Amino acid sequence: MTDYKFVVGSSPHLRTSENTPRLMFYVLQALFLVAVASTILFGVRAMAIIGVSVLAALAAEALWQKGLRQPVTVADGSAAITGLLIAFNMPPLVPLWVPALGSAFAVIVVKQFFGGLGHNFMNPAAAGRAFLVSAWPLAMTSGWLTPFDGATSATPLQVLGGSSGSLPEGWQMLMGWRAGCIGETSALVILIGGLYLIYRQVIDWKIPASFIGTVALFAWVFGGTDGWFTGDVLTHVLSGGLLLGAFFMATDYVTSPVTKRGRLIMGLGCGLLTALIRLWGGYPEGVTYAILLMNVATPLIDRMTIPRPFGTRQTKVTG
């Protein structure tokens, strides 16, 4: 009788060629398009912000891991992505030490304090931006420039909130010809990058679709009077950090639900909170705080949306 040796391992038994560095590489490809658009729109200043932010994120992770005698993991690309997202959330005239501190905080406090990649309970870039807005609100809420001409002006969301100025045309917001953070102005480039990630199956469409759709619905019902594709609705969708947050921050693997229903709930919750803050809050932008609040709720969402195994009865989840 022939002896057969079977290798038995724990589930799951699915195999894939994808790994963390490869997935991060796809995200970096998509974000590279945003970086190019930022440089075209805001020039050398955008390049400096991006460079300082990414270098600070890489250095913070390497120094922290070296200090604790841990394997240095900067090559996986996650720290670079955090640095890029921090940079993209900066006003054009922000002092360069601000994105450097934000990246260091995001990598060390939000990510490494909790065990590194895969253990953080909230999105590092969103938490880094929230930290900067709380600590240095003037630096993070001023210094807006209109691309190419270099004139200072209010952002579209500030105009909606009552600041002086006029709203840009729809095509201007789509192309990025309006005041805002360096990486959130060109809605078209962000959409191309987000759709590329969906095509590559790096992210699921459910979170960005439900996130953006909820904000658009609330803007139409409570904020706009000119229909779906003009006025306040278009401004809420194409301006601010909605598209950048929906495609690149709310979809973070670690801090978003793993179930299909959970991802829809995540997007709906982010959209609802963003709309509440924008329309009735004292701050013109709510994307960052909406994502962070839903990050905290992610474990509960996953628990409440666990699919029922085939052939079993529905059981009530208890304490």
Side-chain angles (χ1 to χ4, degrees):
M1 183 176 180
T2 304
D3 292 332
Y4 292 98
K5 294 183 179 180
F6 296 95
V7 178
V8 180
S10 62
S11 60
H13 301 291
L14 298 175
R15 296 291 184 268
T16 178
S17 61
E18 303 291 358
N19 52 34
T20 298
R22 185 186 294 270
L23 293 174
M24 296 299 171
F25 176 70
Y26 291 146
V27 179
L28 285 171
Q29 285 181 320
L31 290 176
F32 177 75
L33 298 175
V34 184
V36 171
S38 302
T39 303
I40 294 173
L41 292 170
F42 296 104
V44 177
R45 185 68 187 175
M47 293 179 62
I49 294 172
I50 293 170
V52 167
S53 185
V54 172
L55 287 175
L58 295 174
E61 181 156 294
L63 291 173
W64 177 268
Q65 293 174 330
K66 279 283 189 180
L68 295 182
R69 298 181 180 180
Q70 298 173 345
V72 177
T73 60
V74 294
D76 65 15
S78 61
I81 290 173
T82 298
L84 278 172
L85 290 174
I86 289 287
F88 292 160
N89 281 278
M90 295 294 112
L93 296 181
V94 70
L96 294 181
W97 57 266
V98 174
L101 280 180
S103 292
F105 176 88
V107 169
I108 294 177
V109 177
V110 185
K111 181 181 175 184
Q112 295 298 332
F113 272 17
F114 294 91
L117 182 64
H119 300 280
N120 48 288
F121 72 97
M122 61 176 59
N123 182 274
R129 185 180 191 277
F131 162 70
L132 293 176
V133 171
S134 300
W136 295 281
L138 183 60
M140 291 294 293
T141 56
S142 60
W144 309 113
L145 293 177
T146 303
F148 303 120
D149 60 17
T152 58
S153 63
T155 67
L157 290 180
Q158 288 176 330
V159 174
L160 284 180
S163 297
S164 59
S166 58
L167 290 175
E169 299 291 334
W171 69 268
Q172 293 177 313
M173 290 187 287
L174 187 65
M175 300 303 296
W177 196 299
R178 52 94 174 175
C181 295
I182 65 170
E184 68 181 27
T185 54
S186 180
L188 178 62
V189 173
I190 297 173
L191 284 170
I192 292 173
L195 293 175
Y196 170 75
L197 294 182
I198 294 175
Y199 168 75
R200 283 287 190 179
Q201 298 184 341
V202 176
I203 65 174
D204 190 357
W205 62 268
K206 296 180 181 64
I207 291 178
S210 55
F211 192 166
I212 298 168
T214 301
V215 172
L217 178 62
F218 268 76
W220 177 58
V221 175
F222 299 104
T225 58
D226 297 326
W228 273 101
F229 299 107
T230 56
D232 290 358
V233 177
L234 194 64
T235 303
H236 275 285
V237 171
L238 297 182
S239 63
L242 176 60
L243 296 180
L244 187 68
F247 283 107
F248 293 100
M249 298 169 76
T251 55
D252 175 36
Y253 284 171
V254 182
T255 57
S256 62
V258 298
T259 64
K260 294 179 180 179
R261 286 188 297 159
R263 290 169 183 168
L264 286 173
I265 294 172
M266 171 80 175
L268 290 170
C270 286
L272 174 62
L273 291 169
T274 298
L276 290 175
I277 295 172
R278 284 185 175 186
L279 295 173
W280 296 288
Y283 182 60
E285 179 60 281
V287 171
T288 297
Y289 300 105
I291 292 173
L292 292 175
L293 288 171
M294 294 306 296
N295 286 162
V296 176
T298 290
L300 177 62
I301 295 172
D302 272 335
R303 186 179 181 187
M304 301 303 294
T305 56
I306 296 175
R308 180 170 60 89
F310 180 75
T312 62
R313 294 182 178 180
Q314 186 74 36
T315 57
K316 184 178 180 181
V317 177
T318 58

